[in-house]
C-alpha cells in the first residue's frame, strides 16, 4: 500500500479475534527517483504507538527490509506506517494468522 502523511494501518488484528498475527516481513520502497523519504513504523496498542522505527530514512529508488526477526500482533493491535512526504513510499507486509482453534 502507499504510505501517506497520516498514520495508516497496513494490517490490523481485530480486538475480539482471539488470533495472533505473526509479521514475517515488512518492506518499504521509495519510488521517488531523487529525494530520500522518512517513515515511522509502530504498533498501535490500546491507543498508544510503540515505535519499531522512528524517522527511518529510505533512500531514493531503494527498498528497505525493516524486520530482521518476526514480530507478533496481539488481538486489538495494528501495524501502522507514517511518511514525511506524500506519494514517495510504498509498503508490503507479509504475515501469518495464528488461530486459537
Amino acid at each position: 500500500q502507499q504510505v501517506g502523511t497520516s498514520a495508516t494501518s497496513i494490517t490490523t488484528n481485530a480486538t475480539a479475534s482471539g488470533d495472533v498475527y505473526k509479521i514475517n516481513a515488512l518492506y518499504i520502497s521509495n519510488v521517488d527517483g531523487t529525494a530520500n523519504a522518512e517513515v515511522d513504523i509502530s504498533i498501535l496498542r490500546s491507543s498508544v504507538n510503540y515505535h519499531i522505527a522512528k524517522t527511518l530514512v529510505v533512500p531514493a529508488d531503494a527498498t528497505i527490509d525493516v524486520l530482521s526477526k518476526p514480530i507478533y500482533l496481539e488481538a486489538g493491535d495494528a501495524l501502522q506506517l507514517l511518511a514525511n512526504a506524500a506519494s514517495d513510499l510504498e509498503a508490503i507486509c507479509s504475515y501469518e494468522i495464528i488461530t486459537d482453534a
Side-chain angles (χ1 to χ4, degrees):
Q1 77 180 35
Q2 197 167 47
V3 182
T5 55
S6 296
T8 305
S9 297
I10 192 164
T11 188
T12 301
N13 188 354
T15 301
S17 72
D19 298 333
V20 173
Y21 284 22
K22 179 183 177 191
I23 309 298
N24 296 312
L26 178 63
Y27 299 99
I28 309 291
S29 296
N30 185 343
V31 296
D32 187 307
T34 56
N36 292 347
E38 296 174 353
V39 63
D40 292 348
I41 304 162
S42 61
I43 294 175
L44 179 64
R45 177 175 291 160
S46 300
S47 301
V48 178
N49 279 306
Y50 298 95
H51 287 90
I52 295 168
K54 183 80 173 145
T55 58
L56 179 66
V57 175
V58 183
D61 275 342
T63 299
I64 294 178
D65 181 356
V66 176
L67 301 177
S68 60
K69 296 180 178 155
I71 59 172
Y72 296 85
L73 299 183
E74 298 174 3
D77 290 351
L79 184 60
Q80 292 198 322
L81 308 173
L82 172 67
N84 72 324
S87 304
D88 283 355
L89 299 177
E90 297 175 351
I92 295 178
C93 179
S94 171
Y95 63 95
E96 301 170 53
I97 300 173
I98 303 168
T99 60
D100 187 26

Coordinates of all heavy atoms in Angstrom, one line a residue:
Q1 N 0.8 -1.2 0.0 CA 0.0 0.0 0.0 C 0.9 1.2 0.0 O 2.0 1.2 0.4 CB -0.9 0.0 1.2 CG -0.3 0.4 2.5 CD -1.3 0.4 3.7 OE1 -2.2 -0.4 3.7 NE2 -1.2 1.3 4.6
Q2 N 0.3 2.4 -0.4 CA 1.0 3.6 -0.4 C 1.1 4.1 1.1 O 0.1 4.0 1.8 CB 0.3 4.6 -1.3 CG 1.2 5.8 -1.6 CD 0.6 6.6 -2.7 OE1 -0.6 6.9 -2.7 NE2 1.4 7.0 -3.7
V3 N 2.2 4.7 1.5 CA 2.4 5.2 2.8 C 2.1 6.7 2.8 O 2.8 7.4 2.1 CB 3.8 4.9 3.4 CG1 3.9 5.4 4.8 CG2 4.0 3.4 3.3
G4 N 1.1 7.2 3.5 CA 0.8 8.6 3.5 C 1.3 9.4 4.7 O 2.0 8.8 5.5
T5 N 1.0 10.6 4.7 CA 1.4 11.5 5.8 C 0.5 11.5 7.0 O 0.6 12.3 7.9 CB 1.6 13.0 5.2 OG1 0.3 13.4 4.6 CG2 2.7 13.0 4.2
S6 N -0.5 10.7 7.0 CA -1.3 10.4 8.2 C -1.1 8.9 8.5 O -1.0 8.1 7.6 CB -2.8 10.6 7.9 OG -3.1 11.9 7.6
A7 N -1.0 8.6 9.8 CA -0.7 7.2 10.2 C -1.8 6.3 9.7 O -3.0 6.6 9.8 CB -0.7 7.1 11.7
T8 N -1.4 5.2 9.0 CA -2.3 4.3 8.4 C -1.9 2.9 8.8 O -0.7 2.5 8.7 CB -2.3 4.4 6.9 OG1 -2.6 5.8 6.5 CG2 -3.3 3.6 6.2
S9 N -2.9 2.1 9.1 CA -2.6 0.7 9.4 C -2.4 -0.2 8.1 O -3.2 -0.1 7.2 CB -3.8 0.1 10.2 OG -3.9 0.7 11.4
I10 N -1.3 -0.9 8.1 CA -1.1 -1.8 7.0 C -1.7 -3.2 7.3 O -2.1 -3.9 6.4 CB 0.4 -1.9 6.6 CG1 0.6 -2.7 5.3 CG2 1.2 -2.6 7.7 CD1 1.9 -2.5 4.6
T11 N -1.9 -3.5 8.6 CA -2.6 -4.7 9.0 C -3.1 -4.5 10.4 O -2.5 -3.8 11.2 CB -1.8 -6.0 8.9 OG1 -2.6 -7.1 9.1 CG2 -0.7 -6.0 9.8
T12 N -4.3 -5.0 10.6 CA -5.0 -4.8 11.9 C -5.5 -6.1 12.4 O -6.2 -6.8 11.7 CB -6.1 -3.8 11.9 OG1 -5.6 -2.5 11.4 CG2 -6.8 -3.6 13.2
N13 N -5.2 -6.5 13.6 CA -5.8 -7.7 14.3 C -7.0 -7.3 15.1 O -6.8 -6.5 16.1 CB -4.7 -8.4 15.1 CG -5.1 -9.7 15.7 OD1 -6.3 -10.1 15.5 ND2 -4.2 -10.4 16.3
A14 N -8.1 -7.7 14.7 CA -9.4 -7.2 15.4 C -9.4 -7.5 16.9 O -8.8 -8.6 17.3 CB -10.6 -7.9 14.7
T15 N -10.0 -6.7 17.6 CA -10.0 -6.8 19.1 C -10.5 -8.1 19.6 O -9.9 -8.7 20.5 CB -10.8 -5.6 19.7 OG1 -10.2 -4.4 19.3 CG2 -10.8 -5.7 21.2
A16 N -11.5 -8.6 19.0 CA -12.1 -9.9 19.5 C -11.7 -11.1 18.7 O -12.4 -12.1 18.8 CB -13.6 -9.7 19.6
S17 N -10.6 -11.0 17.9 CA -10.3 -12.1 17.0 C -9.8 -13.4 17.7 O -10.1 -14.5 17.3 CB -9.2 -11.6 16.1 OG -7.9 -11.5 16.8
G18 N -9.2 -13.2 18.9 CA -8.6 -14.4 19.5 C -7.4 -14.9 18.8 O -6.8 -16.0 19.1
D19 N -6.9 -14.2 17.8 CA -5.8 -14.6 16.9 C -4.5 -13.8 17.3 O -4.6 -12.8 17.9 CB -6.1 -14.4 15.5 CG -7.3 -15.2 15.0 OD1 -7.6 -16.3 15.5 OD2 -7.9 -14.8 14.0
V20 N -3.4 -14.3 16.8 CA -2.1 -13.6 16.9 C -1.7 -13.5 15.4 O -1.7 -14.5 14.7 CB -1.1 -14.4 17.7 CG1 0.3 -13.7 17.6 CG2 -1.6 -14.4 19.2
Y21 N -1.2 -12.3 15.0 CA -0.6 -12.1 13.7 C 0.9 -12.2 13.8 O 1.5 -11.4 14.6 CB -1.0 -10.8 13.1 CG -2.5 -10.7 12.6 CD1 -3.5 -11.6 13.0 CD2 -2.8 -9.8 11.7 CE1 -4.8 -11.5 12.6 CE2 -4.1 -9.7 11.2 CZ -5.1 -10.5 11.6 OH -6.4 -10.4 11.2
K22 N 1.5 -13.1 13.1 CA 3.0 -13.2 13.0 C 3.4 -12.4 11.8 O 3.2 -12.8 10.7 CB 3.4 -14.6 12.9 CG 4.9 -14.8 12.9 CD 5.3 -16.2 12.7 CE 6.8 -16.3 12.6 NZ 7.2 -17.7 12.1
I23 N 4.0 -11.2 12.0 CA 4.5 -10.4 10.9 C 5.9 -10.9 10.5 O 6.9 -10.8 11.3 CB 4.6 -8.9 11.3 CG1 3.2 -8.4 11.9 CG2 5.0 -8.1 10.1 CD1 2.1 -8.5 11.0
N24 N 6.0 -11.5 9.3 CA 7.2 -12.1 8.9 C 8.2 -11.1 8.1 O 9.4 -11.2 8.2 CB 6.9 -13.2 7.9 CG 6.2 -14.4 8.6 OD1 6.6 -14.8 9.7 ND2 5.1 -14.8 8.1
A25 N 7.6 -10.2 7.4 CA 8.4 -9.3 6.6 C 7.6 -7.9 6.4 O 6.4 -7.9 6.3 CB 8.7 -9.9 5.2
L26 N 8.4 -6.9 6.4 CA 7.8 -5.6 6.0 C 8.9 -4.8 5.2 O 10.0 -4.6 5.6 CB 7.6 -4.8 7.3 CG 7.1 -3.3 7.1 CD1 5.7 -3.3 6.4 CD2 6.9 -2.6 8.5
Y27 N 8.5 -4.5 4.0 CA 9.3 -3.9 3.0 C 8.8 -2.5 2.7 O 7.6 -2.3 2.5 CB 9.4 -4.6 1.7 CG 10.0 -6.0 1.8 CD1 9.1 -7.1 1.9 CD2 11.3 -6.2 1.9 CE1 9.6 -8.4 2.0 CE2 11.8 -7.5 2.0 CZ 11.0 -8.6 2.1 OH 11.5 -9.9 2.2
I28 N 9.7 -1.5 2.8 CA 9.3 -0.1 2.4 C 10.2 0.3 1.2 O 11.4 0.2 1.3 CB 9.6 0.9 3.6 CG1 9.0 0.4 4.9 CG2 9.1 2.3 3.3 CD1 7.5 0.4 5.0
S29 N 9.5 0.8 0.2 CA 10.2 1.2 -1.1 C 9.9 2.7 -1.3 O 8.8 3.2 -1.1 CB 9.6 0.4 -2.3 OG 9.9 -0.9 -2.2
N30 N 11.0 3.4 -1.7 CA 10.9 4.8 -2.0 C 10.9 4.9 -3.6 O 11.8 4.5 -4.2 CB 12.1 5.5 -1.5 CG 12.0 7.0 -1.7 OD1 11.2 7.5 -2.6 ND2 12.8 7.8 -1.0
V31 N 9.7 5.3 -4.1 CA 9.5 5.3 -5.5 C 9.9 6.7 -6.1 O 9.8 6.9 -7.3 CB 8.1 5.0 -5.9 CG1 7.8 3.5 -5.5 CG2 7.1 5.9 -5.3
D32 N 10.4 7.6 -5.3 CA 10.9 8.9 -5.7 C 12.3 8.7 -6.2 O 13.1 8.1 -5.5 CB 10.8 9.9 -4.6 CG 11.2 11.3 -5.0 OD1 12.3 11.5 -5.7 OD2 10.4 12.2 -4.8
G33 N 12.6 9.1 -7.4 CA 13.9 8.9 -8.0 C 15.0 9.8 -7.5 O 16.2 9.6 -7.8
T34 N 14.6 10.9 -6.8 CA 15.7 11.8 -6.4 C 15.8 12.1 -4.9 O 16.8 12.5 -4.4 CB 15.5 13.2 -7.2 OG1 14.2 13.7 -6.9 CG2 15.7 13.0 -8.7
A35 N 14.7 12.1 -4.2 CA 14.6 12.5 -2.8 C 14.5 11.3 -1.8 O 13.7 10.4 -2.1 CB 13.5 13.5 -2.6
N36 N 15.3 11.4 -0.8 CA 15.1 10.4 0.3 C 13.7 10.7 1.0 O 13.2 11.8 0.9 CB 16.2 10.6 1.4 CG 17.5 10.2 0.9 OD1 17.7 9.5 -0.2 ND2 18.6 10.5 1.6
A37 N 13.2 9.7 1.7 CA 12.0 9.9 2.5 C 12.1 9.2 3.8 O 13.0 8.4 4.0 CB 10.8 9.3 1.7
E38 N 11.3 9.6 4.8 CA 11.4 9.0 6.1 C 10.1 8.4 6.5 O 9.0 8.8 6.0 CB 11.7 10.1 7.1 CG 13.0 10.7 6.9 CD 13.3 11.9 7.9 OE1 12.3 12.3 8.6 OE2 14.4 12.4 7.9
V39 N 10.1 7.3 7.3 CA 8.9 6.6 7.7 C 9.0 6.3 9.2 O 10.1 6.0 9.7 CB 8.8 5.3 6.9 CG1 9.9 4.3 7.1 CG2 7.4 4.6 7.1
D40 N 7.9 6.4 9.8 CA 7.7 5.9 11.2 C 6.9 4.6 11.1 O 5.9 4.5 10.4 CB 6.9 6.9 12.1 CG 7.7 8.2 12.3 OD1 8.9 8.2 12.0 OD2 7.0 9.1 12.8
I41 N 7.3 3.6 11.9 CA 6.7 2.3 11.9 C 6.4 2.0 13.4 O 7.3 2.0 14.2 CB 7.5 1.2 11.3 CG1 7.9 1.6 9.8 CG2 6.8 -0.2 11.3 CD1 9.1 0.8 9.3
S42 N 5.1 1.7 13.7 CA 4.8 1.5 15.1 C 3.7 0.4 15.2 O 2.9 0.2 14.3 CB 4.3 2.8 15.7 OG 3.2 3.3 15.1
I43 N 3.6 -0.1 16.4 CA 2.4 -1.0 16.8 C 1.5 -0.1 17.6 O 1.9 0.5 18.6 CB 2.9 -2.2 17.6 CG1 3.7 -3.1 16.7 CG2 1.7 -3.0 18.1 CD1 4.4 -4.3 17.4
L44 N 0.3 0.0 17.2 CA -0.8 0.7 17.9 C -1.4 -0.3 18.9 O -2.0 -1.3 18.4 CB -1.8 1.3 17.0 CG -2.9 2.1 17.7 CD1 -2.4 3.3 18.4 CD2 -3.9 2.5 16.6
R45 N -1.3 -0.1 20.2 CA -1.9 -1.0 21.2 C -2.6 -0.1 22.2 O -1.9 0.8 22.8 CB -0.8 -1.9 21.8 CG -1.4 -2.8 22.9 CD -0.3 -3.7 23.4 NE 0.0 -4.7 22.4 CZ 1.1 -5.4 22.4 NH1 2.0 -5.3 23.3 NH2 1.3 -6.3 21.4
S46 N -3.9 -0.3 22.4 CA -4.6 0.5 23.4 C -4.4 2.0 23.3 O -4.1 2.7 24.2 CB -4.2 0.0 24.8 OG -4.5 -1.3 25.0
S47 N -4.5 2.4 22.0 CA -4.4 3.9 21.7 C -3.0 4.5 21.9 O -2.8 5.7 21.9 CB -5.4 4.7 22.4 OG -6.7 4.3 22.1
V48 N -2.0 3.6 22.1 CA -0.6 4.1 22.3 C 0.3 3.5 21.1 O 0.2 2.3 20.9 CB 0.0 3.7 23.6 CG1 1.4 4.1 23.8 CG2 -0.9 4.2 24.8
N49 N 1.1 4.3 20.5 CA 2.0 3.9 19.5 C 3.3 3.5 20.1 O 4.0 4.3 20.8 CB 2.3 5.0 18.4 CG 1.2 5.0 17.4 OD1 0.8 4.0 16.8 ND2 0.6 6.2 17.2
Y50 N 3.8 2.3 19.8 CA 5.1 1.8 20.3 C 5.9 1.6 19.0 O 5.7 0.8 18.2 CB 5.0 0.5 21.0 CG 4.2 0.6 22.3 CD1 2.8 0.3 22.3 CD2 4.8 1.0 23.4 CE1 2.0 0.5 23.4 CE2 4.0 1.2 24.6 CZ 2.7 0.9 24.6 OH 1.9 1.0 25.7
H51 N 7.0 2.5 18.9 CA 7.7 2.5 17.6 C 8.7 1.4 17.4 O 9.4 1.0 18.3 CB 8.5 3.8 17.5 CG 7.6 5.0 17.3 ND1 7.0 5.7 18.3 CD2 7.1 5.5 16.1 CE1 6.2 6.6 17.7 NE2 6.3 6.5 16.4
I52 N 8.6 0.8 16.2 CA 9.6 -0.2 15.8 C 10.8 0.6 15.1 O 11.9 0.2 15.3 CB 9.0 -1.2 14.8 CG1 7.9 -2.0 15.5 CG2 10.0 -2.1 14.1 CD1 7.0 -2.8 14.6
A53 N 10.4 1.6 14.4 CA 11.4 2.5 13.7 C 10.8 3.9 13.7 O 9.6 4.1 13.5 CB 11.7 2.1 12.3
K54 N 11.7 4.9 14.0 CA 11.3 6.3 14.0 C 12.2 7.1 13.1 O 13.4 7.0 13.1 CB 11.4 6.8 15.5 CG 11.0 8.2 15.7 CD 9.5 8.3 15.8 CE 9.1 9.7 16.2 NZ 7.8 10.1 15.6
T55 N 11.5 7.8 12.2 CA 12.2 8.6 11.1 C 13.3 7.8 10.4 O 14.4 8.3 10.2 CB 12.8 10.0 11.7 OG1 13.7 9.7 12.8 CG2 11.7 10.9 12.2
L56 N 12.9 6.6 10.0 CA 13.8 5.7 9.3 C 14.0 6.3 7.8 O 13.0 6.5 7.2 CB 13.3 4.3 9.2 CG 14.0 3.2 8.5 CD1 15.4 3.0 9.1 CD2 13.2 2.0 8.4
V57 N 15.2 6.5 7.4 CA 15.4 7.1 6.1 C 15.4 6.0 5.1 O 16.1 5.0 5.2 CB 16.8 7.8 6.1 CG1 17.1 8.3 4.6 CG2 16.8 9.0 7.0
V58 N 14.6 6.2 4.0 CA 14.6 5.3 2.9 C 15.1 6.1 1.7 O 14.5 7.0 1.2 CB 13.1 4.8 2.6 CG1 13.1 3.8 1.4 CG2 12.5 4.2 3.8
P59 N 16.3 5.7 1.2 CA 17.0 6.4 0.1 C 16.1 6.4 -1.1 O 15.3 5.5 -1.4 CB 18.3 5.6 -0.1 CG 18.5 4.9 1.2 CD 17.2 4.6 1.7
A60 N 16.3 7.4 -2.0 CA 15.6 7.5 -3.3 C 15.9 6.2 -4.1 O 17.0 5.6 -4.1 CB 16.1 8.7 -4.0
D61 N 14.8 5.7 -4.7 CA 14.9 4.5 -5.6 C 15.5 3.3 -4.8 O 16.2 2.4 -5.4 CB 15.8 4.7 -6.8 CG 15.0 5.4 -7.9 OD1 13.7 5.3 -7.9 OD2 15.6 5.9 -8.8
A62 N 15.1 3.1 -3.5 CA 15.6 2.0 -2.7 C 14.5 1.3 -2.0 O 13.4 1.9 -1.8 CB 16.7 2.5 -1.8
T63 N 14.8 0.1 -1.6 CA 13.8 -0.7 -0.7 C 14.6 -1.1 0.5 O 15.7 -1.6 0.5 CB 13.3 -1.9 -1.5 OG1 12.6 -1.5 -2.7 CG2 12.4 -2.7 -0.6
I64 N 13.9 -1.0 1.7 CA 14.4 -1.4 2.9 C 13.6 -2.6 3.5 O 12.4 -2.6 3.5 CB 14.4 -0.3 4.0 CG1 15.3 0.8 3.5 CG2 14.8 -0.8 5.3 CD1 15.3 2.0 4.5
D65 N 14.3 -3.6 3.9 CA 13.7 -4.8 4.6 C 13.7 -4.4 6.1 O 14.8 -4.4 6.7 CB 14.5 -6.0 4.4 CG 13.9 -7.3 5.0 OD1 12.9 -7.2 5.8 OD2 14.5 -8.4 4.8
V66 N 12.6 -4.0 6.7 CA 12.6 -3.4 8.0 C 12.8 -4.4 9.1 O 13.5 -4.1 10.1 CB 11.2 -2.7 8.2 CG1 11.1 -2.1 9.6 CG2 11.1 -1.6 7.2
L67 N 12.3 -5.6 9.0 CA 12.3 -6.6 10.1 C 13.5 -7.6 10.0 O 13.6 -8.2 8.9 CB 11.0 -7.3 10.2 CG 9.8 -6.5 10.5 CD1 8.5 -7.4 10.5 CD2 9.9 -5.7 11.7
S68 N 14.3 -7.8 11.0 CA 15.3 -8.8 11.0 C 14.7 -10.1 11.6 O 15.3 -11.2 11.3 CB 16.5 -8.4 11.7 OG 16.2 -8.1 13.1
K69 N 13.7 -10.0 12.4 CA 13.0 -11.1 13.0 C 11.5 -10.8 13.0 O 11.1 -9.7 13.0 CB 13.5 -11.3 14.4 CG 14.9 -11.7 14.5 CD 15.4 -11.9 16.0 CE 16.8 -12.3 15.9 NZ 17.6 -12.0 17.1
P70 N 10.7 -11.9 13.1 CA 9.2 -11.7 13.1 C 8.8 -10.9 14.4 O 9.5 -11.0 15.4 CB 8.7 -13.1 13.1 CG 9.7 -14.0 12.7 CD 11.0 -13.3 13.0
I71 N 7.7 -10.2 14.3 CA 7.1 -9.6 15.4 C 5.6 -10.1 15.4 O 5.1 -10.6 14.4 CB 7.1 -8.0 15.4 CG1 6.4 -7.5 14.1 CG2 8.5 -7.5 15.5 CD1 6.3 -6.0 14.1
Y72 N 5.0 -10.0 16.6 CA 3.6 -10.5 16.8 C 2.7 -9.4 17.1 O 3.0 -8.6 18.0 CB 3.7 -11.6 17.8 CG 4.5 -12.8 17.4 CD1 5.9 -12.8 17.6 CD2 3.9 -13.9 16.8 CE1 6.6 -13.9 17.2 CE2 4.7 -15.0 16.4 CZ 6.1 -14.9 16.6 OH 6.8 -16.0 16.2
L73 N 1.5 -9.4 16.5 CA 0.4 -8.5 16.9 C -0.6 -9.3 17.6 O -1.2 -10.3 17.2 CB -0.2 -7.9 15.6 CG 0.6 -7.1 14.7 CD1 -0.2 -6.5 13.6 CD2 1.3 -5.9 15.4
E74 N -0.9 -8.8 18.8 CA -2.0 -9.4 19.6 C -3.3 -8.9 19.2 O -3.4 -7.9 18.4 CB -1.8 -9.1 21.1 CG -0.5 -9.6 21.7 CD -0.2 -9.1 23.1 OE1 -1.0 -8.4 23.7 OE2 0.9 -9.5 23.6
A75 N -4.4 -9.5 19.7 CA -5.7 -9.0 19.3 C -5.9 -7.6 19.7 O -5.4 -7.2 20.8 CB -6.8 -9.9 20.1
G76 N -6.4 -6.7 18.9 CA -6.5 -5.3 19.1 C -5.4 -4.5 18.6 O -5.4 -3.2 18.6
D77 N -4.3 -5.1 18.2 CA -3.1 -4.4 17.7 C -3.2 -4.0 16.2 O -3.9 -4.7 15.5 CB -1.8 -5.2 17.9 CG -1.4 -5.4 19.4 OD1 -2.0 -4.7 20.2 OD2 -0.5 -6.2 19.6
A78 N -2.5 -3.0 15.8 CA -2.4 -2.6 14.4 C -1.0 -2.2 14.1 O -0.3 -1.6 15.0 CB -3.3 -1.4 14.1
L79 N -0.5 -2.6 13.0 CA 0.8 -2.1 12.5 C 0.6 -0.9 11.6 O -0.1 -1.0 10.6 CB 1.5 -3.3 11.7 CG 2.9 -3.0 11.2 CD1 3.9 -2.8 12.4 CD2 3.4 -4.2 10.4
Q80 N 1.2 0.2 12.1 CA 1.0 1.5 11.4 C 2.2 2.1 10.8 O 3.3 1.9 11.3 CB 0.4 2.5 12.4 CG -1.0 2.1 12.8 CD -1.8 3.3 13.4 OE1 -1.2 4.1 14.2 NE2 -3.1 3.3 13.2
L81 N 2.0 2.8 9.7 CA 3.1 3.5 9.0 C 2.7 5.0 8.8 O 1.5 5.3 8.6 CB 3.2 2.8 7.6 CG 3.4 1.3 7.6 CD1 3.4 0.8 6.1 CD2 4.7 0.9 8.2
L82 N 3.7 5.8 8.8 CA 3.6 7.2 8.6 C 4.8 7.8 7.9 O 5.9 7.6 8.3 CB 3.4 7.9 10.0 CG 3.4 9.5 10.0 CD1 2.2 10.0 9.3 CD2 3.5 10.0 11.4
A83 N 4.6 8.5 6.7 CA 5.6 9.0 5.9 C 5.8 10.5 6.1 O 4.8 11.2 6.5 CB 5.4 8.7 4.5
N84 N 6.9 11.1 5.8 CA 7.1 12.5 5.9 C 6.8 13.2 4.6 O 6.7 14.4 4.6 CB 8.6 12.8 6.3 CG 9.6 12.6 5.2 OD1 9.4 11.6 4.5 ND2 10.6 13.4 5.1
A85 N 6.5 12.4 3.6 CA 6.2 13.0 2.3 C 5.1 12.1 1.6 O 5.2 10.9 1.7 CB 7.4 13.1 1.4
A86 N 4.2 12.8 1.0 CA 3.1 12.1 0.3 C 3.6 11.4 -1.0 O 4.4 12.0 -1.7 CB 1.9 13.0 0.0
S87 N 3.1 10.2 -1.3 CA 3.3 9.6 -2.6 C 4.7 9.1 -2.9 O 5.0 8.7 -4.0 CB 2.8 10.4 -3.7 OG 1.5 10.8 -3.6
D88 N 5.6 9.1 -1.9 CA 7.0 8.7 -2.1 C 7.2 7.2 -1.7 O 8.1 6.6 -2.2 CB 8.0 9.6 -1.4 CG 8.2 10.9 -2.0 OD1 7.7 11.1 -3.1 OD2 9.0 11.7 -1.5
L89 N 6.5 6.8 -0.7 CA 6.8 5.4 -0.1 C 5.6 4.5 -0.3 O 4.5 4.8 -0.3 CB 7.0 5.6 1.4 CG 8.2 6.4 1.8 CD1 8.3 6.5 3.3 CD2 9.5 5.9 1.2
E90 N 6.0 3.2 -0.6 CA 5.1 2.1 -0.7 C 5.5 1.0 0.2 O 6.7 0.8 0.5 CB 5.0 1.6 -2.1 CG 4.5 2.6 -3.1 CD 4.6 2.1 -4.6 OE1 5.2 1.0 -4.8 OE2 4.1 2.8 -5.4
A91 N 4.6 0.2 0.8 CA 4.9 -0.8 1.7 C 4.2 -2.1 1.4 O 3.1 -2.2 0.8 CB 4.5 -0.4 3.1
I92 N 4.9 -3.2 1.7 CA 4.4 -4.6 1.5 C 4.6 -5.3 2.9 O 5.8 -5.3 3.4 CB 5.0 -5.3 0.4 CG1 4.7 -4.7 -0.9 CG2 4.6 -6.8 0.4 CD1 5.3 -5.3 -2.2
C93 N 3.6 -6.0 3.4 CA 3.7 -6.7 4.6 C 3.3 -8.1 4.4 O 2.2 -8.4 3.8 CB 2.7 -6.0 5.7 SG 2.7 -6.8 7.3
S94 N 4.1 -9.0 4.9 CA 3.8 -10.5 4.8 C 3.5 -11.0 6.2 O 4.4 -10.8 7.1 CB 4.9 -11.2 4.2 OG 4.7 -12.6 4.3
Y95 N 2.4 -11.7 6.4 CA 2.1 -12.1 7.8 C 1.3 -13.4 7.7 O 0.7 -13.8 6.7 CB 1.3 -11.1 8.6 CG 0.0 -10.7 8.1 CD1 -1.2 -11.3 8.5 CD2 -0.2 -9.7 7.1 CE1 -2.4 -11.0 8.1 CE2 -1.4 -9.3 6.6 CZ -2.5 -10.0 7.1 OH -3.8 -9.6 6.6
E96 N 1.3 -14.1 8.9 CA 0.5 -15.3 9.1 C -0.5 -15.1 10.2 O -0.1 -14.4 11.2 CB 1.4 -16.5 9.5 CG 2.5 -16.8 8.5 CD 3.5 -17.8 9.1 OE1 3.0 -18.9 9.5 OE2 4.7 -17.5 9.0
I97 N -1.6 -15.7 10.1 CA -2.6 -15.6 11.2 C -2.6 -16.9 12.0 O -2.8 -18.0 11.4 CB -4.0 -15.3 10.7 CG1 -4.1 -14.0 9.9 CG2 -5.0 -15.3 11.8 CD1 -5.4 -13.7 9.2
I98 N -2.3 -16.8 13.3 CA -2.2 -18.0 14.2 C -3.5 -18.0 15.0 O -3.8 -17.1 15.8 CB -1.0 -17.9 15.1 CG1 0.3 -17.8 14.3 CG2 -1.0 -19.1 16.0 CD1 1.5 -17.4 15.1
T99 N -4.3 -19.0 14.7 CA -5.7 -19.0 15.3 C -5.6 -19.9 16.6 O -4.8 -20.8 16.7 CB -6.7 -19.6 14.3 OG1 -6.3 -20.9 13.9 CG2 -6.9 -18.7 13.1
D100 N -6.5 -19.6 17.4 CA -6.7 -20.4 18.7 C -7.8 -21.4 18.5 O -8.9 -21.3 19.1 CB -6.9 -19.4 19.9 CG -6.9 -20.1 21.2 OD1 -6.3 -21.2 21.3 OD2 -7.6 -19.7 22.1
A101 N -7.6 -22.3 17.6 CA -8.6 -23.3 17.3 C -8.2 -24.7 17.6 O -7.0 -25.1 17.6 CB -9.1 -23.2 15.8

